[in-house]
Amino acid sequence: MLHALHLLGTAAFAVSGVLAAHRARMDPFGGMVLAFAAPISGGTLRDLVLDRHPLYWTHDRVLLVLIASVAVLTMVSLRRRKLPHRALMVVDAVGLAVVTVIGARAALDAQVTPVAVLILAALTGVTGEVIRDVLARGEFPPLLLREEV
């Protein structure tokens, strides 16, 4: 069950990477870069802080194929139709919710303190959004800094 959620969060952040690249008028290569940066950077930071090696994504072919496939499908669908303006916010929210839980689980498995679990969960969730938006536009993520959140 947790692996399926991880795949869902990864796919959501891959879509958000492509959508952010599309909004920033980046080419398909930029879309692929952001499609990979958004879902793997938070877990990479978490694994580095926890000193877990190898990094989780370096030995998971399914994860990498999923990101590439979702990125290509999203790019193709963007050429055929315009997605609603809120699409980026929706996939961000899904990705943030799922990946934060994954980060908390990894921190619990590492037997860190409860405060460290909270910090690592938050870092796992938001790092991908921050890196994606900084690369795409040089700005911080809209979902993260919204009053409603």
Side-chain angles (χ1 to χ4, degrees), residues 12-13 23 41-42 79 110:
F13 272 156
R23 286 193 179 164
S41 54
R79 289 187 179 260

Side-chain angles (χ1 to χ4, degrees), residues 3-44:
H3 187 66
L5 282 176
H6 189 211
L7 294 177
L8 173 66
T10 298
F13 272 156
V15 170
S16 80
V18 172
L19 292 178
H22 181 74
R23 286 193 179 164
R25 300 180 189 265
M26 296 174 88
D27 63 6
F29 179 75
M32 286 301 268
V33 168
L34 295 185
F36 277 89
I40 67 171
S41 54
T44 299

Side-chain angles (χ1 to χ4, degrees), residues 18 69-81:
V18 172
S69 301
V70 166
V72 169
L73 288 172
T74 304
M75 286 183 218
V76 168
S77 68
L78 285 171
R79 289 187 179 260
R80 294 186 179 189
R81 63 183 175 159

